[in-house]
Amino acid sequence: MLKIVVAAQLDDQALGELSRKYDVTHFEHQIEDWSAVSRADVLVLRGHLKVDRDWLDRAPCLGLIIKAGAGVDNIDVEEASRRGIRVLTTPASATAVAELSLLLLLAVRRRLLALVQAIRNGNWAEKYNSVGHQLRGSTLGILGFGRIGQEMARIGHALGMNVLLYDRSPGVDAKRQAAAECKAIFASLETILQSADAVSIHMPSTPATRDMLGAAELAKLRPHAILINTARADIVVRGPLMQALRTGALAGAGFDVFYQEPVPPNDPLLGLENVVCTPHVGAQTVETQREIGRQVLAGIAHFDTRRVQEAQGTENVARCAVKNHP
């Protein structure tokens, strides 16, 4: 029977089905029993767990890693592959993350947090001091045109926004078709930064994208522009970002990802009035978690079937060798 370590919050139905079929040890947050890891054939994890070479040394039986999410920046995929460990992702969160990006975009554009606080303090007159911006007719710049970026483009187009796209592989036919469907235009990074009223980041964290937006890039943004990041924090250089938000060079921002997670409560970013933050909950919808659970089950079932077939093949080869031995 497969031994599985689930080091993640997982849909109850999926976890129950796994437990009925396999030997499952579940840690919702931190791993508390490393002996279970040392015996595990399969690891299911989310973003809080960093799987590097030292971690893999403690899991010598591991044959499969499944990320209950899309990004693999917390997994040393190259080292896992070198050890013959397959790495799978569960790309189910496009709609949920795009909708959260829209939520942050609207919250920043209409100064939602300041207005909520004002009315709770009895300051009705704040309505005369707070003038927001509407989305229709404005320009949305999307950095990264994968599943989430495409969903964000559809939302922007449906709201009457002009959509500009920056992608490292814009020539892919499927991307061109998706762009055409929402009348979006591929453009250079510089053009987007200089033209957009709002920039929404939907790129993975890779050596090519880390620190992609530094002081020079942020300086190209229009003073009334806002930045939304539901991808990875390290795509934007922290120092210049803080400076732009403090000085008003950048009108505001919405973040679901942080340079350190969990984010410390005394992080200066949380104290900025023009910033709206959520605790990395882009994929936290019932529908997304249910689909992630389904994909986890499917990935493990396939791995188990192939494992059994390979074992049977080895046995058959051994039998033939004995039978044909002179």
Side-chain angles (χ1 to χ4, degrees), residues 143-161:
L143 308 187
F145 200 53
R147 291 182 181 90
I148 300 172
Q150 290 173 30
E151 191 67 28
M152 190 64 184
R154 294 185 190 102
I155 290 173
H157 174 61
L159 292 172
M161 303 181 79

Side-chain angles (χ1 to χ4, degrees), residues 63-142:
L64 175 66
I65 297 172
I66 301 183
K67 173 69 179 293
V72 292
D73 48 298
N74 61 314
I75 303 170
D76 189 336
V77 177
E78 184 177 346
E79 179 62 22
S81 298
R82 191 184 69 78
R83 299 181 188 216
I85 302 169
R86 190 179 182 194
V87 178
L88 298 179
T89 62
T90 55
S93 62
T95 297
V97 175
E99 288 182 356
L100 180 68
S101 300
L102 173 63
L103 172 67
L104 292 172
L105 176 56
L106 284 166
V108 176
R109 266 288 171 244
R110 296 302 298 268
R111 301 189 66 246
L112 179 64
L113 294 188
L115 294 173
V116 169
Q117 191 61 47
I119 200 168
R120 284 179 173 170
N121 292 338
N123 183 14
W124 186 264
E126 179 62 23
K127 66 171 290 183
Y128 303 108
N129 302 322
S130 181
V131 180
H133 292 270
Q134 64 188 37
L135 301 186
R136 180 173 294 277
S138 66
T139 298
L140 171 65
I142 296 174

Side-chain angles (χ1 to χ4, degrees), residues 12-290:
D12 288 343
Q13 184 174 342
L15 187 60
E17 189 167 340
L18 279 179
S19 299
R20 285 191 294 272
K21 292 182 177 180
Y22 308 110
D23 180 357
V24 176
T25 304
H26 181 214
F27 306 106
E28 190 158 325
H29 299 293
Q30 299 299 320
I31 291 178
E32 299 162 4
D33 179 9
W34 281 93
S35 64
V37 172
S38 68
R39 300 188 302 269
D41 302 297
V42 179
L43 169 68
V44 181
L45 77 161
R46 293 186 73 173
H48 68 285
L49 184 64
K50 186 173 180 60
V51 177
D52 54 17
R53 181 174 300 182
D54 291 339
W55 201 101
L56 291 171
D57 284 341
R58 304 176 77 170
C61 302
L62 209 58
L64 175 66
I65 297 172
I66 301 183
K67 173 69 179 293
V72 292
D73 48 298
N74 61 314
I75 303 170
D76 189 336
V77 177
E78 184 177 346
E79 179 62 22
S81 298
R82 191 184 69 78
R83 299 181 188 216
I85 302 169
R86 190 179 182 194
V87 178
L88 298 179
T89 62
T90 55
S93 62
T95 297
V97 175
E99 288 182 356
L100 180 68
S101 300
L102 173 63
L103 172 67
L104 292 172
L105 176 56
L106 284 166
V108 176
R109 266 288 171 244
R110 296 302 298 268
R111 301 189 66 246
L112 179 64
L113 294 188
L115 294 173
V116 169
Q117 191 61 47
I119 200 168
R120 284 179 173 170
N121 292 338
N123 183 14
W124 186 264
E126 179 62 23
K127 66 171 290 183
Y128 303 108
N129 302 322
S130 181
V131 180
H133 292 270
Q134 64 188 37
L135 301 186
R136 180 173 294 277
S138 66
T139 298
L140 171 65
I142 296 174
L143 308 187
F145 200 53
R147 291 182 181 90
I148 300 172
Q150 290 173 30
E151 191 67 28
M152 190 64 184
R154 294 185 190 102
I155 290 173
H157 174 61
L159 292 172
M161 303 181 79
N162 305 307
V163 182
L164 297 179
L165 309 171
Y166 172 77
D167 192 83
R168 297 179 64 81
S169 53
V172 176
D173 288 344
K175 291 183 179 181
R176 289 198 170 278
Q177 182 178 346
E181 289 172 356
C182 52
K183 295 182 172 59
I185 300 172
F186 285 100
S188 68
L189 178 60
E190 182 175 7
T191 296
I192 288 178
L193 295 176
Q194 291 176 343
S195 307
D197 301 296
V199 174
S200 192
I201 302 173
H202 302 289
M203 310 180 88
S205 174
T206 68
T209 63
R210 287 180 199 123
D211 296 337
M212 189 175 80
L213 299 184
E217 290 74 24
L218 293 173
K220 294 174 182 177
L221 287 165
R222 305 165 83 178
H224 69 272
I226 66 171
L227 182 69
I228 305 298
N229 192 354
T230 56
R232 289 294 184 267
D234 61 8
I235 294 171
V236 187
V237 182
R238 180 184 172 97
L241 172 65
M242 294 294 295
Q243 178 71 9
L245 288 167
R246 282 171 172 154
T247 61
L250 182 60
F255 300 117
D256 188 47
V257 289
F258 302 91
Y259 298 92
Q260 179 183 339
E261 295 187 6
V263 61
N266 61 347
D267 189 317
L269 191 66
L270 303 181
L272 297 176
E273 293 184 358
N274 54 349
V275 172
V276 178
C277 296
T278 50
H280 207 152
V281 293
Q284 289 292 86
T285 66
V286 170
E287 296 80 6
T288 295
Q289 291 305 310
R290 189 175 294 146

